[in-house]
Amino acid sequence: MLDKAFTGSGRYWGWIAFLLVLIAVGFACYLRQLEYGLGITGLSRDVSWGIYIAQFTFFVGVAASAVMVVLPYYLHNVQQFARITILGELLAVAAVTMCMLFIFVDMGQPARVLNVLLYPTPHSMMFWDMVSLSGYLVLNLVIAYVMLAAEQKGVPAPHWIKPVIILSIPWAVSIHTVTAFLYNGLPGRPLWFTAILAPRFLASAFASGPALLILLCLALRRLTTFDAGHEAIRRLGVIVAYAMTVNVFFLFLELFTALYSGMPDHAEPFAYLFFGIDGKNGLVPVMWLSVVLALAALLALLVPRFRRNERVLALASLAVFVSLWLEKGMGLIVAGFVPSPLRTVTSYAPTAPEWGIVGGVWAVGALMLTLFYKITVSVREAD
């Protein structure tokens, strides 16, 4: 099957070349970081996690979202998802790989990653995060390979794969739950010290991942002969609509609890995000843009007439993805450190090398997804 990834049109190879250039730039920036240290980033004593960990948090959700197509198809026999289940599983593989790379580049010295393996600490959430992510990656690799190989040979999938698929469903929930526990186990960070952080993570995951899958399905229909089916895309739109509604509701609960109670420790991070503190307001336009995109997407998704229009659905899905990337992929992490426990307000903005490394990791994920989907489409065209 791998041979199918090395045949394609000029446009296909042009896209591959573009991604390889981004990866090369990101790798060069990483070598500079490896030589000089994290001092080339915008991180500081007060803001010790930045865009690397923010991207890790966001893509854990994208990876976990594969359950939203696996669960209906394998447990409830929703046949409309038959053609896109493999796409969700391959998306999970690419997303988990990106998560691991973001952890790798955030560590500074990569050898520190080995400490989790050489000195396992079962009472550490970091240890369980490693277990959940690596286990989920292996599960989805096995499922995707076995299902695609069976499809290529024109034979039914082996019976033993069904329990593995069922195991992947709670495992998908666990990877984002454990990540949330990693944050809200830190009582010195009031923004994360909330019992609904894990539900918030899952709601955003079940909105952002299917939204991205809708965009990928529409792109495949336009660029290849593969068609996921109008009904499958429509049902994904319904999932995004309800998950995004729950996500916005949870955010409202957080805002009400923090602001109405008037507790400074809980209110100040939200004040920093939406209004700025002491003239430091770098994230204010980012967060308001996230709110506007979320509300616009909800308006489009909750009205069935709008949702049935695939162009509107595509725009709404893009708005959901970008909104959650801004809110969860930047604001949630940075505002966890601002103000600091010493009441200081330290601004954070990613530097050019940080953006270069982030772009390189995104390109790795896009390259993996391109090759995976090229193989999948080629196998199904051969059928």
Side-chain angles (χ1 to χ4, degrees), residues 86-101:
I86 187 72
L87 302 183
E89 289 161 345
L90 292 172
L91 175 59
V93 171
V96 172
T97 303
M98 293 173 69
C99 291
M100 292 180 169
L101 288 175

Side-chain angles (χ1 to χ4, degrees), residues 25-336:
V25 171
F27 186 65
C29 291
Y30 177 69
L31 290 178
R32 174 62 176 156
Q33 176 180 294
L34 195 61
E35 175 187 4
Y36 187 79
L38 291 173
I40 69 169
T41 71
L43 300 172
S44 62
R45 180 200 64 181
D46 291 335
V47 184
S48 53
W49 286 350
I51 196 169
Y52 298 152
I53 297 299
Q55 298 304 288
F56 157 76
T57 308
F58 178 74
F59 277 101
V60 167
V62 173
S65 67
V67 73
M68 299 311 291
V69 291
V70 171
L71 190 151
Y73 178 62
Y74 289 107
L75 292 190
H76 301 286
N77 199 31
V78 178
Q79 291 301 312
Q80 289 85 353
F81 284 164
R83 293 178 62 78
I84 63 172
T85 302
I86 187 72
L87 302 183
E89 289 161 345
L90 292 172
L91 175 59
V93 171
V96 172
T97 303
M98 293 173 69
C99 291
M100 292 180 169
L101 288 175
F102 279 121
I103 291 292
F104 187 81
V105 299
D106 184 72
M107 293 294 288
Q109 288 296 326
R112 293 173 183 161
V113 177
L114 296 175
N115 289 338
V116 181
L117 301 174
L118 296 176
Y119 310 104
T121 311
H123 65 267
S124 167
M125 295 311 302
M126 193 77 75
F127 169 78
W128 290 110
D129 208 32
M130 182 272 295
V131 170
S132 62
L133 283 173
S134 56
Y136 190 63
L137 176 63
V138 171
L139 285 173
N140 279 279
L141 276 172
V142 170
I143 294 168
Y145 174 76
V146 170
M147 299 301 290
L148 201 57
E151 190 170 335
Q152 183 195 33
K153 297 172 184 175
V155 298
H159 295 295
W160 61 265
I161 198 65
K162 186 68 176 290
V164 178
I165 293 170
I166 293 173
L167 176 63
S168 73
I169 295 173
W171 208 295
V173 175
S174 78
I175 66 170
H176 223 10
T177 303
V178 172
T179 302
F181 287 171
L182 182 65
Y183 297 141
N184 64 11
L186 303 173
R189 305 295 174 185
L191 183 66
W192 304 334
F193 195 44
T194 167
I196 67 166
L197 190 64
R200 272 187 68 192
F201 274 22
L202 291 172
S204 63
F206 297 156
S208 61
L212 178 58
L213 196 55
I214 288 172
L215 295 173
L216 291 171
C217 288
L218 293 175
L220 286 174
R221 177 190 291 176
R222 185 179 182 86
L223 299 173
T224 71
T225 59
F226 178 86
D227 187 358
H230 175 76
E231 184 62 19
I233 294 173
R234 187 193 69 80
R235 289 184 178 233
L236 279 176
V238 173
I239 291 172
V240 175
Y242 287 107
M244 192 62 179
T245 302
V246 174
N247 179 73
V248 171
F249 177 64
F250 283 160
L251 180 58
F252 169 77
L253 294 179
E254 293 276 31
L255 289 170
F256 177 84
T257 304
L259 301 179
Y260 189 78
S261 67
M263 296 177 64
D265 284 348
H266 291 271
E268 285 178 352
F270 289 108
Y272 172 72
L273 283 177
F274 289 99
F275 305 105
I277 298 178
D278 297 335
K280 297 179 179 179
N281 52 12
L283 286 179
V284 171
V286 170
M287 293 307 297
W288 282 109
L289 176 59
S290 174
V291 169
V292 170
L293 289 174
L295 294 178
L298 276 181
L299 177 64
L301 290 169
L302 292 176
V303 178
R305 180 166 58 90
F306 293 158
R307 196 171 59 237
R308 284 192 291 267
N309 185 316
E310 288 194 353
R311 181 170 296 181
V312 174
L313 179 61
L315 291 173
S317 299
L318 180 61
V320 166
F321 187 82
V322 175
S323 172
L324 292 174
W325 183 83
L326 294 173
E327 182 250 317
K328 187 179 174 188
M330 181 58 78
L332 181 70
I333 299 303
V334 175

